[in-house]
Amino acid sequence: MTVTELFGSRDRFEDRIVPVCGLRIRVRIRTGTGVPLVLCNGIGAGLEVLEPLVAALDPAATIIRFDVPGTGGSPASPVPYAIPALACGLSRLLDEIGVGTVDVLGLSWGGALAQQFALQHPRRCRRLVLVATGTGALMIPGHPRVLSKMLTPKRFTDPAYASAVAGDLYGGAARRAGGDVARIFGKQRQAGSRVGYLHQLLAGALWTSLPVLPLIRQPTLVVAGTDDPIIPVLNARIMNALLPHATLHIHPGGHIDIVTDASGLAPVVAGFLAQPETSEST
């Protein structure tokens, strides 16, 4: 696979620095049609990591990505933040760029932000896609040996280390192509902010959606892999049972197959987002 095939064309991308609550947030918008899709990334990752997914989705779709404070091109917040505050900030960011109703996809840590955004802004979030994620502090955790590799952002700054740990950490396609994971991480504009990473760790550790999942009324697609060392697949089954309008998609891959096997999972996401509206979800 060539770099162009992996990361797609940048012709229709617009990069902006948007002021939100006193912070400077880097945003990348691919202009198109339909309800915009907002992508919420995993912990420590800049928006470039999601490029393979963007390239595999409908080229006519509007897609919005952003770097949370302390990742990519967004400077770290001077103080720690909570997930609800970040969800409020995301809504203000959308105000700043003139976007109303959106669909939201959250990957891993970004799934926490996506759930909280859907809960706090039900009229603004039309549909929700939760990929390789869970309910935060109250969930079934991965093995401590695996989770210990996520305590620092070293995998984003050391390509050799990223390639070496990718299989054990992410499972799925990463077991066969650790070098591809390292190359994707290497495309980030900036990576490895220890302060930003610590803020994300703290925010995730103090948050859970478990008691409020029944209050999330949007149609929700829950995507999970059976070879995910970080988020065991049972978490997805619990979320599917508690979310009122959930659809569960189980695949044989791992934690970041939405990126490493984007061509296989992007059609699942696109098909869900394209489904006709139903009255039962309102």
Side-chain angles (χ1 to χ4, degrees), residues 196-260:
Y197 199 85
L198 177 60
H199 286 174
Q200 286 189 277
L201 282 174
L202 290 173
L206 299 175
W207 175 89
T208 184
S209 63
L210 190 63
V212 296
L213 282 180
L215 301 180
I216 297 177
R217 309 297 298 180
Q218 292 89 340
T220 303
L221 174 65
V222 180
V223 180
T226 56
D227 184 23
D228 185 342
I230 298 173
I231 309 287
V233 70
L234 185 55
N235 288 285
R237 299 190 185 279
I238 293 171
M239 297 176 73
N240 181 63
L242 293 177
L243 288 161
H245 305 294
T247 300
L248 179 62
H249 178 81
I250 301 293
H251 62 90
H255 190 70
I256 58 170
D257 273 38
I258 193 74
V259 173
T260 55

Side-chain angles (χ1 to χ4, degrees), residues 112-167:
L113 175 55
Q115 291 172 66
Q116 190 66 39
F117 181 84
L119 184 67
Q120 290 180 206
H121 305 281
R123 295 185 179 181
R124 191 162 214 172
C125 179
R126 185 188 72 124
R127 294 195 178 197
L128 185 62
V129 181
L130 303 175
V131 182
T133 193
T135 56
L138 300 178
M139 62 173 284
I140 299 170
H143 194 282
R145 175 179 55 81
V146 173
L147 298 181
S148 67
K149 295 182 174 68
M150 298 188 67
L151 293 178
T152 75
K154 182 179 179 180
R155 63 193 183 280
F156 295 122
T157 58
D158 185 338
Y161 178 76
S163 181
V165 304

Side-chain angles (χ1 to χ4, degrees), residues 48-70:
E48 291 89 353
V49 169
L50 295 170
E51 199 69 58
L53 171 60
V54 174
L57 290 169
D58 182 357
T62 299
I63 299 179
I64 300 168
R65 288 172 283 166
F66 62 98
D67 289 332
V68 301

Side-chain angles (χ1 to χ4, degrees), residues 3-215:
V3 171
T4 300
E5 290 171 330
L6 183 61
F7 291 96
S9 170
R10 296 169 58 96
D11 291 348
R12 291 162 50 237
F13 290 162
E14 175 191 3
D15 279 11
R16 297 173 59 179
I17 300 297
V18 180
V20 179
C21 303
L23 301 174
R24 292 168 55 81
I25 304 299
R26 181 172 67 133
V27 182
R28 178 168 293 174
I29 305 169
R30 191 185 76 179
T31 56
T33 60
V35 177
L37 174 62
V38 176
L39 303 182
C40 302
N41 214 342
I43 188 169
L47 57 81
E48 291 89 353
V49 169
L50 295 170
E51 199 69 58
L53 171 60
V54 174
L57 290 169
D58 182 357
T62 299
I63 299 179
I64 300 168
R65 288 172 283 166
F66 62 98
D67 289 332
V68 301
T71 67
S74 296
S77 168
V79 296
Y81 52 78
I83 296 292
L86 200 59
C88 180
L90 176 55
S91 182
R92 294 190 181 185
L93 185 152
L94 295 175
D95 288 339
E96 289 289 335
I97 63 175
V99 172
T101 301
V102 295
D103 296 327
V104 182
L105 181 151
L107 167 62
S108 190
W109 185 94
L113 175 55
Q115 291 172 66
Q116 190 66 39
F117 181 84
L119 184 67
Q120 290 180 206
H121 305 281
R123 295 185 179 181
R124 191 162 214 172
C125 179
R126 185 188 72 124
R127 294 195 178 197
L128 185 62
V129 181
L130 303 175
V131 182
T133 193
T135 56
L138 300 178
M139 62 173 284
I140 299 170
H143 194 282
R145 175 179 55 81
V146 173
L147 298 181
S148 67
K149 295 182 174 68
M150 298 188 67
L151 293 178
T152 75
K154 182 179 179 180
R155 63 193 183 280
F156 295 122
T157 58
D158 185 338
Y161 178 76
S163 181
V165 304
D168 289 341
L169 186 58
Y170 298 120
R175 295 192 188 279
R176 304 182 297 275
D180 287 349
V181 174
R183 283 189 287 274
I184 292 172
F185 288 171
K187 292 294 181 179
Q188 297 178 87
R189 175 175 166 181
Q190 297 176 16
S193 166
R194 291 185 177 274
V195 172
Y197 199 85
L198 177 60
H199 286 174
Q200 286 189 277
L201 282 174
L202 290 173
L206 299 175
W207 175 89
T208 184
S209 63
L210 190 63
V212 296
L213 282 180
L215 301 180

